Amino acid sequence: MNVSDEWKDYECISAGNGEKLERFGSFILRRPEPQAMWVIENSKLWKNPDAFYHRSNKGGGYWEYFKKLPEFWTVNYKNLKFKVSPTNFKHTGLFPEQAFNWDFSINKIKNSKREIKVLNLFAYTGAATMAAASAGAKVVQVDASKGMTEWAKENMKLSNLENADIRFIVDDCLKFVKREFRRGNKYDVIIMDPPSYGRGPNGEMWKFEHNLDILIKECLKILSDKPLFFLINAYTTGISSTVLYNILKTSLESVYGGKVTSGELGLPITDNNLVLPCGIYGRWECD
């Protein structure tokens, strides 16, 4: 388990009974968490959140607010700053467990001591983009959602990266990668965070278990001659980190050498010293 434990503006206060209690900056949010399957006694910690997301039996849900929250606020992670805002599908625009991968990206890019070009696919609100750009990389980020792309642009400004070399593309990721191959564009780093299921801006269908292998094969065609790393994040239920390990082992290590690692990402839980599992990753990196 790789734990993102260097946060100051974020804290997983408690988790259990299918829920988690988190602090984003100075605000406390209570949200469903399917991974928190263990039983905990009801404590005072859970009784006074600032907002509580209720899951509906019919799908979706809604926020119940116990105090007036701003439309959005910001949290810092080291030299990065991100916008946080409760959405009507329970997310906040930020996955704090990914700090483990941000730190890896920053260190790997800085230590390369050469110009690095990064492609960030399914980029969401651009946290991985900002991490790579803060290390000096040129970044192209692609996401099918115009709204999430606008959010990423806000994160760029918050992190004082307006002068960084970042391109924001609203497109279907697979279609974009195929076009980049035809254009002859190459990347030293590819990062992707594919959803379990999704649709592109023109209704293109994405299903993790059916499309991931196709996407990776297309991505291999646009890797530079000296790639730095290839990182896959995943939250799809039933997919093991060993699957990502095997995919990268057979597709990249056999061609470029280097090494492959994989595992779980987690967050420390303050009130009982447990770790909340939050997804998996697989990465190939050069020697």
Side-chain angles (χ1 to χ4, degrees):
M1 178 71 75
N2 298 279
V3 180
S4 295
D5 56 3
E6 296 186 46
W7 279 96
K8 295 181 180 178
D9 278 2
Y10 170 83
E11 176 186 11
C12 183
I13 300 168
S14 187
N17 303 336
E19 294 183 307
K20 57 186 174 183
L21 191 69
E22 303 165 284
R23 177 180 61 82
F24 287 88
S26 59
F27 299 107
I28 308 298
L29 305 182
R30 181 174 176 177
R31 299 190 283 166
E33 177 47 70
Q35 296 277 18
M37 299 172 64
W38 52 91
V39 176
I40 58 170
E41 297 295 329
N42 289 328
S43 71
K44 295 179 181 178
L45 291 172
W46 291 83
K47 293 180 179 178
N48 296 300
D50 297 316
F52 183 3
Y53 188 87
H54 297 272
R55 178 75 74 186
S56 169
N57 292 331
K58 298 179 181 179
Y62 65 94
W63 286 97
E64 179 183 10
Y65 292 96
F66 299 100
K67 66 183 290 186
K68 184 173 177 58
L69 299 185
E71 181 181 347
F72 71 90
W73 62 97
T74 61
V75 296
N76 292 289
Y77 182 74
K78 298 181 180 178
N79 65 325
L80 301 172
K81 181 179 284 190
F82 303 113
K83 170 187 169 182
V84 172
S85 180
T87 68
N88 54 15
F89 47 95
K90 95 168 182 175
H91 290 175
T92 64
L94 189 67
F95 291 93
E97 67 276 5
Q98 290 296 332
F100 170 79
N101 285 326
W102 306 336
D103 287 338
F104 166 80
S105 297
I106 290 168
N107 291 334
K108 194 76 176 177
I109 291 167
K110 283 185 174 179
N111 291 334
S112 71
K113 294 182 172 55
R114 59 186 171 98
E115 184 177 275
I116 298 296
K117 190 174 180 182
V118 176
L119 176 61
N120 183 15
L121 300 172
F122 308 98
Y124 194 49
T125 59
T129 294
M130 305 317 146
S134 73
K138 295 182 177 181
V139 187
V140 176
Q141 83 148 52
V142 185
D143 196 277
S145 169
K146 184 177 180 180
M148 292 299 106
T149 302
E150 292 303 312
W151 195 326
K153 291 178 182 178
E154 293 181 68
N155 283 334
M156 175 185 67
K157 294 175 183 176
L158 289 169
S159 293
N160 296 315
L161 290 168
E162 296 100 319
N163 295 323
D165 193 336
I166 303 173
R167 288 178 59 211
F168 297 93
I169 308 292
V170 178
D171 203 349
D172 175 77
C173 289
L174 180 56
K175 285 185 175 180
F176 179 81
V177 169
K178 288 180 176 180
R179 282 199 300 273
E180 288 294 86
F181 173 66
R182 292 195 295 269
R183 294 171 184 137
N185 290 332
K186 300 282 187 177
Y187 295 88
D188 306 295
V189 170
I190 296 179
I191 299 169
M192 63 174 70
D193 196 347
S196 301
Y197 171 86
R199 288 187 181 275
N202 296 311
E204 301 91 344
M205 181 77 73
W206 168 271
K207 199 167 184 181
F208 187 93
E209 57 268 37
H210 293 161
N211 297 100
L212 181 64
D213 183 57
I214 297 169
L215 177 60
I216 290 174
K217 285 179 180 177
E218 294 300 325
C219 284
L220 293 177
K221 298 176 184 178
I222 60 171
L223 277 179
S224 68
D225 294 334
K226 294 176 61 179
L228 189 63
F229 66 88
F230 195 116
L231 173 63
I232 307 172
N233 296 303
Y235 294 91
T236 300
T237 303
I239 301 296
S240 163
S241 63
T242 303
V243 172
L244 301 183
Y245 178 91
N246 292 345
I247 289 172
L248 294 173
K249 186 88 171 175
T250 55
S251 61
L252 278 102
E253 189 181 83
S254 61
V255 177
Y256 295 102
K259 65 177 181 179
V260 175
T261 54
S262 68
E264 287 187 88
L265 299 178
L267 291 165
I269 304 171
T270 302
D271 75 334
N272 56 17
N273 293 319
L274 297 178
V275 174
L276 178 66
C278 298
I280 60 173
Y281 77 96
R283 74 180 180 222
W284 171 89
E285 60 185 295
C286 69
D287 291 322

